[in-house]
Amino acid sequence: MARFIFITGGVVSSLGKGLASAALGALLQARGYTVRLRKLDPYLNVDPGTMSPFEHGEVFVTDDGAETDLDLGHYERFTGVAARSTDSISSGRVYSNVLEKERRGDYLGKTIQVIPHVTNEIKDFIKIGEDEVDFMLCEIGGTVGDIEGLPFFEAIRQFAQDKDRGQCIFMHLTLLPFIKASGELKTKPTQHSVKELRSIGLAPDILVCRSEGPIPQKEREKLALFCNVRAGSVIAAQDLKSIYEAPLAYHREGMDQAVLDAFGISPAPKPDLSRWEDVVDRTHNTDGTVNVAIVGKYTQLEDAYKSIAEALTHGGMANRVKVEIEWIDAEIFEREDHGPLLERFNAILVPGGFGERGTEGKIKAAQFAREKDIPYLGICLGMQMAVIEAARNMANLGDAGSEEFDHEAKDARRYTPVVYHLKEWVQGNHKVTRKSSDDKGGTMRLGAYDAVLTKGSRVAEIYGTTAIEERHRHRYEVDIRFREQLEEKGLIFSGMSPDGRLPEIVEVKDHPWFVGVQFHPELKSKPFAPHPLFADFVRAAKEQSRLV
Ligand code: GLN
């Protein structure tokens, strides 16, 4: 039976609760325990699939096809445990489940209330798979005091009551602001935040305090006294140069020890932190820098491409180089010449995206990379744009385009759809069908699918195998009918769905490194196990940087 750690936040949002949870997960693993991490989000969207990346950052996709919060990406990157659809829930999902049950008559005529019906639904969710791991870490999104968060806080309070004593602990993450004028770290906002928690029946066992610098002993004692935690359970979480320093930094601060103490686990198993020591060593001891341009649409908010940025960092670790990323809005190329902007980069990446805006700029970026021998990685939409570019400029299909854009065009343009809307495909051993009019939520080709790579192709060499499984999130596909025409001109279809119908990977022959993938390899990369495509892409960028 798992022990439960509930992680809540106070004072302000964006303190890195997800990261702290993920790092704690990694530390417990380092002591030999098995873990699973979960996110409970108070917002009313049923899942983040329909939220704009500008609003909420990237949508993280699990193997079993759930569209989840980007914190699940942190969890996977730090623990290597593949997230499942049952690791993420929102108020929207909770209420939608409750209402569905009510309509079905499951509640036998009862009046449906937040307590117990909504809280029971949340508790049932927390319990899923509780026998599978030693520790279940549940992060509650938002900050204490948020209206939407209340049912979740109430549910975890009840949950700890339902369980045996000592089976659940609470960790609270707050901010200690530094007031320059008086040269002091202030504990009052944390005191208030804990007071707020206690007013709803929750008493934190561990306080994780974000601060710019170290926390002096005096402030630690004050926090312990006023917030009713042990002095050793006040953990300083200082700003770090790299997020991957977090496990070692929190370990030095005694976070994992404090957690084990709170559960009364003694003696605590010794940790093996060699994995994280190696990751930190590779982060800091590098041999040069490579510059990578990401030509995309959601470039104002880095979180919109969180996993890609992290996967590039992991690729840098594999090659002991620092990867410097520059975000370029693809729309710029519709006004300005792209050549001068792109020529100083060692590699170009065009990420996934939705809608027509900026796509002509992405096509120009793909063309530039192909013609100038610059390493190119196109992900999902980035692959589709590379195929359109090749169709137009290599295979003489000047009007090549994607069906994704025709409904947005005011005049019904004539074009050759080399990328089309897929309405029927095979997942495992069953058929999936969609209509154009389907809801926007969750109707894409989502989650893990197998692909077969051509023996002797660049990608088969990179992966070291011809059978792979990668995660998808898209509605449109490259049309196989253009394969021969494109391959003749040098765009090779080197990865296909097992039934041979759906192109999964394209690569340009006789190019230093040009690969387009229909899936999202970035979702599976880890600092201690960089994704082979990202590792090799950065290797090619490093080679390119030596040439210029
Ligand atoms: N918009 C494209 C599609 O739906 C690509 C999606 C993506 O890049 N994730 O097929």
Side-chain angles (χ1 to χ4, degrees):
M1 187 67 74
R3 292 179 165 95
F4 293 83
I5 304 170
F6 294 102
I7 299 116
T8 58
V11 182
V12 290
S13 59
S14 305
L15 287 179
K17 240 184 313 146
L19 209 64
S21 310
L24 174 58
L27 288 175
L28 291 168
Q29 282 182 320
R31 291 191 186 253
Y33 295 110
T34 54
V35 300
R36 179 160 289 284
L37 286 104
R38 287 212 163 129
K39 179 83 192 274
L40 293 83
D41 268 311
Y43 52 70
L44 282 166
N45 302 63
V46 172
D47 65 40
T50 52
M51 280 194 217
S52 160
F54 287 124
E55 290 263 328
H56 202 71
E58 109 185 330
V59 173
F60 191 81
V61 181
T62 59
D63 279 334
D64 57 0
E67 298 179 280
T68 69
D69 190 85
L70 54 76
D71 275 327
L72 271 77
H74 288 311
Y75 303 164
E76 274 203 29
R77 283 188 284 274
F78 278 80
T79 64
V81 176
R84 301 179 188 150
S85 57
T86 45
D87 292 331
S88 158
I89 202 167
S90 64
S91 290
R93 169 76 63 204
V94 171
Y95 280 98
S96 131
N97 290 353
V98 168
L99 294 177
E100 204 177 292
K101 287 185 186 166
E102 187 273 335
R103 291 290 85 187
R104 257 199 331 248
D106 290 7
Y107 298 118
L108 305 173
K110 286 253 180 296
T111 306
I112 312 305
Q113 296 182 294
V114 172
I115 305 172
H117 300 97
V118 169
T119 47
N120 281 352
E121 189 70 29
I122 297 171
K123 289 196 284 182
D124 288 346
F125 166 79
I126 296 170
K127 269 186 241 165
I128 299 171
E130 63 180 336
D131 296 325
E132 290 173 20
V133 288
D134 299 321
F135 287 96
M136 191 80 87
L137 286 74
C138 299
E139 177 192 347
I140 316 293
T143 38
V144 57
D146 295 347
I147 286 185
E148 293 96 338
L150 273 174
F152 289 96
F153 288 106
E154 170 60 15
I156 61 175
R157 185 195 67 73
Q158 293 175 17
F159 190 90
Q161 279 301 328
D162 299 344
K163 292 284 174 194
D164 289 342
R165 260 182 205 282
Q167 207 184 329
C168 301
I169 67 163
F170 297 91
M171 186 162 110
H172 190 53
L173 191 76
T174 71
L175 174 73
L176 299 188
F178 181 73
I179 307 296
K180 266 207 194 98
S182 60
E184 277 178 319
L185 266 184
K186 290 299 189 188
T187 63
K188 192 67 91 191
T190 299
Q191 294 179 40
H192 276 290
S193 182
V194 171
K195 196 168 150 195
E196 180 84 32
L197 264 185
R198 293 174 73 180
S199 74
I200 49 176
L202 294 171
D205 298 282
I206 293 168
L207 281 183
V208 180
C209 304
R210 285 294 305 269
S211 67
E212 275 172 45
I215 306 178
Q217 190 56 28
K218 198 176 107 230
E219 271 70 29
R220 286 177 195 258
E221 284 165 14
K222 190 167 171 188
L223 280 165
L225 183 64
F226 283 86
C227 301
N228 197 34
V229 299
R230 286 158 191 258
S233 298
V234 178
I235 309 297
Q238 283 184 57
D239 295 351
L240 301 168
K241 278 206 207 82
S242 151
I243 55 170
Y244 298 115
E245 292 172 24
L248 293 182
Y250 290 161
H251 175 70
R252 279 194 298 273
E253 268 293 317
M255 180 192 270
D256 41 335
Q257 187 62 55
V259 165
L260 298 175
D261 286 348
F263 281 114
I265 298 175
S266 174
K270 290 253 166 312
D272 171 8
L273 296 162
S274 48
R275 171 187 269 188
W276 294 103
E277 282 154 5
D278 182 50
V279 164
V280 170
D281 179 56
R282 286 173 178 277
T283 307
H284 295 310
N285 299 315
T286 50
D287 164 27
T289 300
V290 298
N291 296 302
V292 179
I294 298 189
V295 181
K297 174 160 142 188
Y298 316 107
T299 47
Q300 298 100 310
L301 181 72
E302 278 188 29
D303 270 359
Y305 301 116
K306 187 76 198 153
S307 292
I308 291 183
E310 295 308 324
L312 283 171
T313 303
H314 307 159
M317 290 174 185
N319 294 282
R320 284 205 186 262
V321 287
K322 183 168 166 21
V323 179
E324 203 71 73
I325 298 172
E326 198 162 313
W327 307 90
I328 300 180
D329 183 350
E331 267 187 298
I332 291 179
F333 302 153
E334 283 159 26
R335 301 186 296 271
E336 272 175 56
D337 183 12
H338 56 282
L341 269 171
L342 287 178
E343 65 197 358
R344 60 199 175 77
F345 291 103
N346 308 120
I348 296 173
L349 189 152
V350 175
F354 293 84
E356 183 167 18
R357 194 155 61 77
T359 48
E360 287 302 320
K362 293 175 190 176
I363 290 171
K364 279 188 187 158
Q367 182 178 9
F368 185 82
R370 183 176 60 77
E371 291 176 348
K372 304 279 183 203
D373 279 350
I374 297 176
Y376 176 89
L377 175 57
I379 295 178
C380 209
L381 187 67
M383 163 185 174
Q384 296 171 357
M385 295 306 105
V387 171
I388 292 177
E389 191 281 313
R392 287 184 189 172
N393 303 316
M394 292 165 82
N396 255 331
L397 284 165
D399 61 354
S402 165
E403 277 187 7
E404 181 170 8
F405 314 143
D406 70 351
H407 61 273
E408 291 182 21
K410 287 190 195 71
D411 47 355
R413 274 172 306 192
R414 257 183 48 79
Y415 69 102
T416 307
V418 295
V419 179
Y420 69 104
H421 190 173
L422 183 75
K423 311 248 172 50
E424 201 180 286
W425 65 91
V426 179
Q427 179 166 32
N429 45 21
H430 73 278
K431 203 162 81 180
V432 187
T433 50
R434 299 274 189 255
K435 292 194 292 292
S436 316
S437 56
D438 276 344
D439 287 351
K440 282 274 185 273
T443 53
M444 287 180 267
R445 185 149 89 94
L446 277 168
Y449 283 85
D450 291 331
V452 182
L453 313 185
T454 311
K455 262 204 198 97
S457 62
R458 176 190 292 276
V459 285
E461 209 174 289
I462 293 172
Y463 274 97
T465 172
T466 54
I468 61 165
E469 189 195 73
E470 295 278 8
R471 294 183 194 167
H472 288 247
R473 181 175 184 247
H474 54 105
R475 288 192 181 84
Y476 298 86
E477 300 280 344
V478 170
D479 196 329
I480 185 75
R481 285 178 305 166
F482 297 93
R483 178 174 189 169
E484 220 167 284
Q485 220 171 330
L486 287 164
E487 288 202 327
E488 227 168 72
K489 302 291 178 190
L491 187 79
I492 309 300
F493 287 41
S494 52
M496 298 294 296
S497 59
D499 63 3
R501 280 182 61 214
L502 307 173
E504 293 275 1
I505 308 182
V506 295
E507 54 185 80
V508 172
K509 214 165 73 183
D510 305 326
H511 187 283
W513 210 99
F514 193 107
V515 175
V517 292
Q518 187 55 74
F519 46 81
H520 290 274
E522 71 275 19
L523 301 178
K524 298 226 299 199
S525 189
K526 282 138 199 129
F528 45 83
H531 190 286
L533 279 176
F534 279 89
D536 207 59
F537 178 57
V538 174
R539 183 200 54 72
K542 186 174 172 183
E543 213 157 90
Q544 207 273 351
S545 74
R546 304 245 147 105
L547 296 175
V548 288

